[in-house]
Amino acid sequence: MAAQAQAASKPVQGGIPWAWVGVTPFLLFAILFLILPTLFLVVGAFQDPDGNLTLANIGDLFTPSILSAYWISIKVSLASGLTGAIFGAFMAYAAIGGGLPNWIKPTLMTFSGVASNFAGVPLAFAFLATLGRQGLVTLFLMNVFGLNIYAQGFNILTFWGLTITYLYFQIPLMVLIFTPAIEGLRKEWREAATILGASNWQYWRHVAGPVLMPSFLGAALLLFANSFGAIATAYALTGSSLNIVTILLYAQIRGDVLHNQNLGYAIALGMIVITGLSNLAYIWLRIRSERWLK
Amino acid sequence: MSFIDIRNLKKSFGTNTVVHDFSLSIEKGEFVSFLGPSGCGKTTILRMIAGFELASSGSITIGGKDVTYLPPAKRNVGMVFQAYALFPNLTVAENIGFGLKIAGASQSDINTRVSEMLDMIKLPHLKDRYPYQMSGGQQQRVALARAIAVRPQVLLLDEPLSALDAKIRVSLREEIRALQRQLGITTVFVTHDQEEALSISDRIVVMYEGRANQVGAPFEIYNNPKTRFVASFVGTLNIFEAKITDRARGAVSIDGQTVVTSRDLGDLGNGDTATVALRPEAVRLGTPVEGRNSLAGTIGEVAFLGAVIRIEVKLGESVVSLDIFNDPGLHLPKIGDQATVVFKPEDVLVIDPT
Amino acid sequence: MKQNRIGHWIAIILGSLYFVVPLIGTFEFSLRKLRGVYSFEAYRVVLGDPAFQASFLYSVGLACLTIIIGLLLIVPTAYWVQLRLKRLQPFVEFVTLLPLVVPAIVLVFGYLRLYNSSSWLPLTATARGTDILLTFGYVTLALPYMYRSVETGLKSIDVRTLTEAAESLGAGPATILVRIILPNIRSAILSGAFLTFAIVIGEFTFASLLNRPAFGPYLQLIGANRAYEPAALTIMSFAITWACMGIIQVVSRNRAAMRK
Ligand SMILES: Nc1ncnc2c1ncn2[C@@H]1O[C@H](COP(=O)(O)OP(=O)(O)OP(=O)(O)O)[C@@H](O)[C@H]1O
Ligand SMILES: [Mg+2]
């Protein structure tokens, strides 16, 4: 570290850009543990087992079982992303939109920090203990209201169960991402609209809504990507009974269940494309909204 | 009856009363400024006129109609905010047309009015820009057009110029005044800049701690400040505590030297202390003149301010500042020189000690 | 206005219920191990389990290593970029955000292919090598959070002026970084460190696929085989996350207070 900093502070000489030496360890690390591994899969997706170029793996992604894995993943992510975004936005607005005691906001933020990081295996356990067959809420509904949600077709190990579970970190994440956008709404905008005759609804329809929309969509996309790549919660919750793409890929990595390594690479590539696109869209939307809210 | 009538207005936030018993009448087409230091309640009164704050007691009438408890949208007032407050997602034209659109005007009516407004603020070429693509001065002109577009009966401006740099501030304030004259719109303008208030107002309300300290035309406020606060806030007055030595002659004593004032000493008598004030530009350096006051002292400070030079003369305990016009042929006194200051009896103002 | 406020209250209360009920449910469930009475038996069993102790300690060690390596990598880089390579900033920022784009499972898939026992750098051939790979993997996962944290810290102080002032007094780059910059961004570093700890301690995907005996896979294993112990472990995990976030709060509040 010291040596590196030493070298880098020397003036430019002999054509070696010394300033760049300072970031070499970082770049080296990024190449070795971030870029090369990703690139390896991307390239592998376009090769057959003998290393020849082919599009067959990409084509094979469109077989029903793989397609359905992607589709379920997308559905879970859309459902938890959108629902999370909506509820998170409401909570953020409720906490800072005025009218509530001052301590609500910091409490909500701290709690959101915790809950948005409380994912993975323990989260699955928490929901099993709550909404599983012997869970607290399940038993409560049964004993107090005589309502057997399992008899009504609910199951924590399914699509909706997983979505509800994901919301536990999606909503707080939304609160964290979206709060700055709401705080960027200036009081004067509402007053200016009001004095020009706008009703509350018209203010939201013409000003606050459009101003918040890019941030909202961007955040929803981020939530989408966040749950699309998640596996630990789903795996601990459902084992391999729910066919989402991360669990499929997990099984493939463990035991080559597809009997084609390169098809596995193609699945990985598909995931990168989906999360990559949603992140790109997120960045684009964020630049738009920051332009307004600066 | 005046166009705007504010009677015994009071406003408290919790136990903190920030506006006390404020009354003011404003004529139709008048341009009135609220001038005062930060926190004196200017914005609060303006916001009560707009309807954003409700009065704790008292009443506000506009055009003969009691609006004290009317919501802002029903008052037909326009407002310009300190930090522009343009809608960031709308273009200049859409911002200006916002009020008309809400009122349900037809698109062609909106377009006509918007171009009219754009011509008025001399920005027709920026009609499709977004606020973030414009300078502060341009944004504030658009904000002005947006407020005027709906033909409000009153225009309220809360320190509309204080976020702008000095040059634009001066040119835009002249523009605002010209527009206001042209449209004849009743205007209340809040500022804490005395020069601004003096230069554009028909009348000024000097405020201090939630009260109107003095109300009057700029000339009146500047030349005849009624209170010590007004005197010190408007301009840079020399203020002295003077003991009355001969009330009949108007003679008072400042640091042992006698000064005569032709102003009314009110109900003060011999031996009482009066607060008297002198404008820097009313005082001259020179030799004693018959019929004028002259005081002897030493030069304490000579400061070059551009067009004028401010000189401080020490008279024992107290100090007199005086302004002389800059002139290349001028022979400036040096610090420590003996000097005599000369001024007329009618320039010795007698003010309220508060 | 009044009506509005009621809506706000409802949103907050419903939200709080959704977040608190599972915790209560889990806690209640964790106490049910002994038939008919509430007890901390599940906790006792878990804490006494040698596999728990081993995997937990393993993960704590790994988290610490991740934090150290991550900081050694990130702090000088962020400092250097801020000071000398401003134009590189968007690029570095982009790289640090990549781990949010490439899912962890994809990343570890790449590792397994790139560093397997028959590759040019056979890290997974030995347990020690795999540990190193796992640590680097965690550094990658933590990169977005740690970098952001450190960068925020650096932006809040005037790096250039501080550096130039120190240079004019004859300090070398290493001295500047350790004696001047680090103390000034201490709370940012601590925030990043505890966030990293919270992420690494229960991580499942990397550890499971690299076959290392970490806490995450242990949790999963217990979950598949026991009834009440997982609930006890969940409460403990939540407490750890909570503690990490709490410390971050305290640390950054102290900083805010110091600035005032
Ligand atoms: N919503 C509020 N709640 C409590 N106190 C307030 C509120 N609004 C204003 N005040 C207080 O009322 C007093 C007057 O405020 P006001 O904004 O009218 O001052 P001002 O003259 O406009 O000052 P400035 O020149 O700084 O804008 C201040 O002491 C302020 O703290
Ligand atoms: Mg104000």
Side-chain angles (χ1 to χ4, degrees):
Chain A
M1 183 170 102
Q4 153 219 327
Q6 207 93 47
S9 74
K10 277 183 193 153
V12 176
Q13 44 173 250
I16 302 170
W18 283 110
W20 285 74
V21 175
V23 291
T24 316
F26 174 79
L27 290 181
L28 206 63
F29 176 86
I31 290 172
L32 276 180
F33 297 102
L34 195 51
I35 294 166
L36 272 188
T38 312
L39 222 53
F40 184 92
L41 299 179
V42 171
V43 173
F46 295 100
Q47 288 177 335
D48 65 17
D50 301 324
N52 304 312
L53 278 186
T54 175
L55 285 176
N57 302 314
I58 309 296
D60 285 348
L61 285 181
F62 293 88
T63 51
S65 68
I66 295 178
L67 222 49
S68 103
Y70 270 111
W71 183 229
I72 296 176
S73 273
I74 290 176
K75 277 199 299 187
V76 170
S77 306
L78 270 183
S80 76
L82 264 182
T83 325
I86 292 169
F87 282 109
F90 267 117
M91 286 194 70
Y93 184 74
I96 57 183
L100 297 196
N102 284 334
W103 56 266
I104 295 263
K105 188 198 152 192
T107 313
L108 180 68
M109 296 315 266
T110 308
F111 193 82
S112 297
V114 177
S116 64
N117 281 294
F118 186 64
V121 183
L123 178 61
F125 297 164
F127 272 80
L128 279 172
T130 309
L131 284 168
R133 280 182 195 282
Q134 296 299 312
L136 186 73
V137 170
T138 313
L139 294 180
F140 176 80
L141 290 175
M142 189 126 65
N143 297 337
V144 177
F145 297 108
L147 176 71
N148 183 350
I149 52 173
Y150 274 76
Q152 302 290 322
F154 176 83
N155 190 336
I156 190 73
L157 309 182
T158 58
F159 171 82
W160 281 111
L162 189 60
T163 303
I164 289 178
T165 310
Y166 276 3
L167 284 180
Y168 201 86
F169 57 81
Q170 297 281 54
I171 293 177
L173 188 58
M174 182 66 182
V175 170
L176 292 180
I177 307 175
F178 200 58
T179 297
I182 292 182
E183 284 176 332
L185 278 184
R186 301 220 334 252
K187 180 177 115 244
E188 290 94 339
W189 292 337
R190 180 191 280 277
E191 293 180 346
T194 310
I195 208 160
L196 289 167
S199 64
N200 194 34
W201 156 247
Q202 283 168 321
Y203 161 69
W204 278 97
R205 156 99 182 63
H206 295 293
V207 182
V211 168
L212 288 179
M213 197 38 84
S215 315
F216 177 84
L217 289 179
L221 279 166
L222 212 62
L223 300 195
F224 172 88
N226 187 37
S227 76
F228 189 81
I231 168 162
T233 310
Y235 187 70
L237 195 64
T238 69
S240 40
S241 69
L242 193 66
N243 179 30
I244 62 174
V245 69
T246 39
I247 289 184
L248 176 67
L249 188 58
Y250 185 83
Q252 163 70 9
I253 297 171
R254 293 226 103 157
D256 194 13
V257 292
L258 301 169
H259 309 296
N260 178 357
Q261 280 298 347
N262 297 80
L263 183 52
Y265 302 159
I267 291 179
L269 173 65
M271 293 181 61
I272 297 173
V273 168
I274 290 173
T275 51
L277 286 180
S278 30
N279 272 279
L280 273 184
Y282 162 70
I283 290 169
W284 182 75
L285 285 163
R286 207 181 82 177
I287 291 172
R288 273 194 59 150
S289 70
E290 270 172 7
R291 207 170 59 181
W292 285 348
L293 295 173
K294 72 168 182 271
Chain B
M1 189 174 181
S2 330
F3 189 60
I4 302 180
D5 240 316
I6 302 172
R7 293 227 174 286
N8 306 103
L9 204 60
K10 197 181 139 200
K11 179 70 188 176
S12 310
F13 294 107
T15 56
N16 181 20
T17 303
V18 300
V19 175
H20 308 264
D21 200 28
F22 183 90
S23 296
L24 180 70
S25 296
I26 301 174
E27 298 305 324
K28 195 166 176 69
E30 205 179 4
F31 191 117
V32 172
S33 294
F34 290 176
L35 173 66
S38 189
C40 69
K42 309 178 294 285
T43 299
T44 307
I45 295 179
L46 201 72
R47 289 171 62 81
M48 285 193 281
I49 302 176
F52 294 132
E53 306 282 357
L54 287 185
S56 304
S57 66
S59 71
I60 302 171
T61 331
I62 301 179
K65 186 170 164 198
D66 186 343
V67 299
T68 317
Y69 299 106
L70 228 52
K74 296 251 167 67
R75 298 187 181 202
N76 194 15
V77 299
M79 181 142 177
V80 176
F81 299 84
Q82 178 174 358
Y84 327 136
L86 292 179
F87 305 130
N89 57 318
L90 304 181
T91 61
V92 166
E94 289 167 335
N95 261 289
I96 297 176
F98 186 86
L100 298 166
K101 188 171 164 189
I102 293 294
S106 74
Q107 194 56 50
S108 68
D109 286 356
I110 296 179
N111 291 346
T112 322
R113 182 69 175 158
V114 167
S115 352
E116 211 176 298
M117 289 289 117
L118 282 167
D119 289 338
M120 184 186 83
I121 58 170
K122 304 189 192 75
L123 295 175
H125 54 292
L126 297 186
K127 126 184 197 304
D128 293 319
R129 291 260 186 110
Y130 283 91
Y132 72 93
Q133 296 166 318
M134 297 191 302
S135 73
Q138 291 169 337
Q139 289 189 52
Q140 200 56 298
R141 272 142 79 184
V142 174
L144 188 65
R146 179 177 70 178
I148 294 176
V150 291
R151 299 190 167 86
Q153 33 175 5
V154 179
L155 183 62
L156 307 172
L157 304 108
D158 191 358
E159 305 197 25
L161 305 174
S162 62
L164 305 174
D165 60 47
K167 278 235 168 63
I168 301 188
R169 202 148 46 190
V170 172
S171 67
L172 189 51
R173 85 181 180 212
E174 280 155 12
E175 244 175 87
I176 290 178
R177 178 53 161 157
L179 262 179
Q180 187 270 341
R181 281 222 172 88
Q182 182 193 328
L183 301 172
I185 185 169
T186 314
T187 302
V188 182
F189 182 98
V190 164
T191 177
H192 56 238
D193 180 339
Q194 47 107 359
E195 187 201 323
E196 205 168 279
L198 290 170
S199 68
I200 58 175
S201 319
D202 290 323
R203 268 194 307 157
I204 297 176
V205 180
V206 184
M207 293 193 50
Y208 182 62
E209 291 188 345
R211 291 190 173 84
N213 228 289
Q214 185 173 356
V215 182
F219 185 84
E220 176 73 15
I221 297 274
Y222 191 80
N223 290 314
N224 286 316
K226 288 279 186 303
T227 68
R228 188 186 183 125
F229 171 74
V230 176
S232 60
F233 193 75
V234 182
T236 33
L237 279 190
N238 296 295
I239 298 176
F240 310 96
E241 303 301 331
K243 180 161 276 172
I244 301 179
T245 49
D246 184 348
R247 196 186 182 288
R249 222 162 47 90
V252 299
S253 152
I254 296 173
D255 268 320
Q257 307 195 50
T258 299
V259 166
V260 176
T261 175
S262 57
R263 302 272 175 163
D264 185 11
L265 280 165
D267 44 14
L268 297 173
N270 283 347
D272 287 346
T273 300
T275 305
V276 300
L278 265 177
R279 298 216 156 272
E281 66 269 26
V283 184
R284 203 139 293 160
L285 279 183
T287 46
V289 178
E290 189 60 34
R292 297 198 177 172
N293 293 301
S294 40
L295 302 175
T298 51
I299 304 288
E301 187 87 61
V302 180
F304 182 67
L305 304 178
V308 296
I309 295 164
R310 174 155 299 170
I311 298 173
E312 286 180 6
V313 181
K314 287 192 209 152
L315 316 164
E317 285 289 288
S318 32
V319 174
V320 176
S321 295
L322 61 103
D323 288 347
I324 52 178
F325 280 108
N326 183 16
D327 174 349
L330 205 63
H331 173 71
L332 285 179
K334 283 189 206 57
I335 294 172
D337 285 358
Q338 297 293 320
T340 305
V341 292
V342 183
F343 47 92
K344 296 182 197 152
E346 65 257 40
D347 286 329
V348 183
L349 313 173
V350 180
I351 59 181
D352 231 24
T354 49
Chain C
M1 197 68 214
K2 200 85 186 175
Q3 208 168 354
N4 251 340
R5 205 172 299 176
I6 291 171
H8 292 185
W9 273 119
I10 292 176
I12 293 291
I13 290 171
L14 280 185
S16 312
L17 273 182
Y18 173 73
F19 286 99
V20 172
V21 165
L23 292 179
I24 297 175
T26 312
F27 185 60
E28 194 265 353
F29 200 80
S30 74
L31 300 178
R32 281 200 242 160
K33 187 165 171 70
L34 294 184
R35 206 163 275 278
V37 286
Y38 281 146
S39 70
F40 285 95
E41 179 64 13
Y43 294 83
R44 202 191 55 74
V45 171
V46 163
L47 290 173
D49 181 359
F52 163 80
Q53 295 163 358
S55 65
F56 189 73
L57 282 182
Y58 178 84
S59 279
V60 168
L62 219 54
C64 294
L65 212 56
T66 303
I67 290 168
I68 292 167
I69 295 180
L71 287 176
L72 285 180
L73 192 67
I74 287 168
V75 174
T77 306
Y79 168 66
W80 197 245
V81 168
Q82 192 86 351
L83 189 65
R84 293 285 153 86
L85 284 174
K86 267 280 198 246
R87 71 206 138 99
L88 214 58
Q89 191 165 333
F91 169 75
V92 172
E93 238 164 69
F94 172 76
V95 171
T96 61
L97 290 176
L98 273 182
L100 295 179
V101 178
V102 184
I105 187 164
V106 171
L107 218 48
V108 72
F109 194 12
Y111 286 9
L112 283 167
R113 290 287 157 265
L114 209 55
Y115 303 111
N116 63 33
S117 44
S118 54
S119 73
W120 61 286
L121 186 61
L123 282 174
T124 60
T126 61
R128 218 23 80 234
T130 316
D131 287 344
I132 292 172
L133 186 59
L134 186 54
T135 310
F136 283 155
Y138 285 167
V139 171
T140 314
L141 284 190
L143 198 58
Y145 308 98
M146 228 185 218
Y147 192 89
R148 193 92 59 87
S149 193
V150 170
E151 196 191 32
T152 316
L154 285 174
K155 273 185 179 158
S156 71
I157 61 174
D158 190 347
V159 171
R160 183 171 292 264
T161 311
L162 276 181
T163 304
E164 279 164 5
E167 265 169 357
S168 73
L169 295 172
T175 317
I176 295 173
L177 197 54
V178 175
R179 303 282 291 277
I180 314 285
I181 303 296
L182 276 189
N184 274 301
I185 58 168
R186 192 166 47 206
S187 64
I189 287 179
L190 284 175
S191 297
F194 281 102
L195 197 56
T196 303
F197 190 88
I199 293 169
V200 169
I201 194 72
E203 202 282 336
F204 170 75
T205 318
F206 266 79
S208 159
L209 286 171
L210 286 176
N211 251 325
R212 297 306 296 150
F215 190 49
Y218 169 80
L219 285 172
Q220 199 273 330
L221 192 72
I222 293 291
N225 298 304
R226 302 287 190 82
Y228 301 100
E229 285 80 356
L233 283 166
T234 300
I235 295 297
M236 286 154 66
S237 301
F238 191 80
I240 293 171
T241 312
W242 188 259
C244 288
M245 296 301 139
I247 292 171
I248 292 176
Q249 286 280 316
V250 170
V251 166
S252 42
R253 197 166 313 146
N254 279 352
R255 170 166 58 173
M258 252 167 61
R259 267 174 214 289
K260 266 183 195 161

